[in-house]
Amino acid sequence: MIVAAVQSQELADAVGEVDGVEVLLWPEGQGLPERSGEIELVVPDYIRARRTARVLDRLPRLRAVQLQTAGYDAVVDLIPPGLDLLSARGVHDDATAELALGLTIASMRGIDVAVRDSGHWRQEVTRRSLADSEVAVLGYGSIGRAIAVRMRACQAQVTGVAASARDDDLLGRVVTADEVDWSAHHVVVVVLPLTEATRHIVDASFLACLRDDALVVNVGRGPLLDTDAVLAEAGRLRFALDVTDPEPLPEGHPLWTAPGVLITPHVAGGTTAMLPRMAALVRDQLERLRDGRPLRNVVHR
């Protein structure tokens, strides 16, 4: 019998019964469960995974940690040796892609400006449409592909950018950053994982390459963008940010009032789409663990 622990009753109910597996409820913030010595897989809380990660070395039979986030930078430093750290790759694709598209349209079509000007009729006759615009998806992985699908549905011309070039059945070809003429793009969507190599990848020199009035959308991690560089270019460029550096963004921070900056408070993944996709992933991982098959989405071992 495989014993697993999840930290919300909602997720436990959604996972349901799995033959040969017992799923325990281990509420976040409480002490170790009574049967902590039997647990082989843990699914930490979506928001507060670091607190759980700090006690994982007290679970002697633990084999794997299934995150509820696509990114894993927030906890990787706390994972004890010998454990598989599993990302939620695929769970947040649809919701994050929806928000990326929504932020893009809201910023390009001035919806944020209209909300701020509510009560005043200020018509801008011509704004750029997403149709026929050049869009670069910087970080063309699982979420990046979902974003590209939605952008193409709006008749945008999409370039997928990844660490290595490859053929792609949707875009034809995925290219590296060195192959991109950034000045030709109207929109850059950033959806990279955060690593030391990608921290501040969108810096002053990157932004200087962009055309006037280009839009940068960040639905990855806040530190992918250099905040000082963003503030320096705000006004010439536009920014739509679901994630920021620092985060949460403090009251009075200059990003709140910078010209052409639209901010949402890191809400890309937190939708009704998450629970059924997360439950399906957990069920699959439990069946794999039970059957001795390789686990999915191993990002650190």
Side-chain angles (χ1 to χ4, degrees):
M1 174 72 72
I2 298 292
V3 177
V6 302
Q7 295 199 306
S8 79
Q9 187 65 60
E10 185 180 40
L11 180 57
D13 292 343
V15 171
E17 294 185 3
V18 180
D19 289 343
V21 177
E22 183 174 359
V23 178
L24 305 178
L25 179 63
W26 176 19
E28 194 280 328
Q30 296 188 10
L32 293 176
E34 290 184 4
R35 297 172 60 189
S36 58
E38 302 174 54
I39 295 172
E40 297 185 53
L41 182 140
V42 165
V43 185
D45 181 77
Y46 176 50
I47 302 296
R48 292 168 289 273
R50 275 188 73 83
R51 289 208 297 199
T52 300
R54 290 190 177 97
V55 300
L56 294 178
D57 57 357
R58 297 167 61 186
L59 305 178
R61 293 189 61 185
L62 187 64
R63 297 163 59 184
V65 180
Q66 174 62 66
L67 298 177
Q68 297 192 58
T69 55
Y72 54 94
D73 51 281
V75 299
V76 67
D77 60 312
L78 297 176
I79 301 301
L83 298 184
D84 282 348
L85 180 62
L86 317 172
S87 78
R89 186 178 189 272
V91 168
H92 302 290
D93 294 9
D94 293 324
T96 303
E98 284 177 0
L99 186 66
L101 177 62
L103 287 172
T104 300
I105 293 173
S107 184
M108 293 183 76
R109 301 301 298 271
I111 295 173
D112 56 331
V113 176
V115 170
R116 293 191 189 103
D117 287 350
S118 180
H120 303 279
W121 186 274
R122 294 178 181 150
Q123 186 176 25
E124 292 186 58
V125 176
T126 303
R127 271 186 171 264
R128 169 159 287 280
S129 174
L130 185 52
D132 305 328
S133 290
E134 295 286 343
V135 177
V137 178
L138 180 56
Y140 188 78
S142 179
I143 296 175
R145 179 187 173 90
I147 293 169
V149 168
R150 287 155 177 80
M151 294 290 182
R152 282 166 57 94
C154 293
Q155 306 303 311
Q157 305 296 316
V158 181
T159 300
V161 187
S164 56
R166 62 181 186 270
D167 292 333
D168 181 72
D169 61 348
L170 178 66
L171 302 181
R173 185 73 177 163
V174 175
V175 300
T176 64
D178 293 339
E179 299 176 72
V180 178
D181 178 6
W182 294 104
S183 66
H185 286 81
H186 304 98
V187 182
V188 178
V189 182
V190 186
V191 66
L192 290 161
L194 180 62
T195 67
E196 285 308 308
T198 61
R199 182 179 296 273
H200 288 185
I201 192 169
V202 178
D203 57 9
S205 61
F206 183 99
L207 295 176
C209 295
L210 301 182
R211 63 194 298 158
D212 289 352
D213 208 37
L215 169 64
V216 178
V217 180
N218 188 6
V219 289
R221 287 288 186 265
L224 296 170
L225 274 58
D226 181 336
T227 299
D228 290 340
V230 170
L231 289 169
E233 289 281 17
R236 185 183 77 85
L237 304 175
R238 285 175 291 132
F239 298 88
L241 312 174
D242 184 53
V243 286
T244 59
D245 184 21
E247 188 176 306
L249 195 62
E251 185 177 346
H253 192 282
L255 269 180
W256 287 118
T257 54
V261 176
L262 170 60
I263 297 171
T264 53
H266 203 154
V267 296
T271 75
T272 55
M274 178 181 172
L275 184 61
R277 289 160 177 76
M278 191 67 221
L281 175 60
V282 172
R283 278 196 301 271
D284 184 49
Q285 299 286 41
L286 292 173
E287 291 170 352
R288 288 168 178 267
L289 198 62
R290 177 198 64 197
D291 298 342
R293 293 182 286 130
L295 298 174
R296 291 168 53 191
N297 300 350
V298 177
V299 291
H300 179 74
R301 174 171 290 147

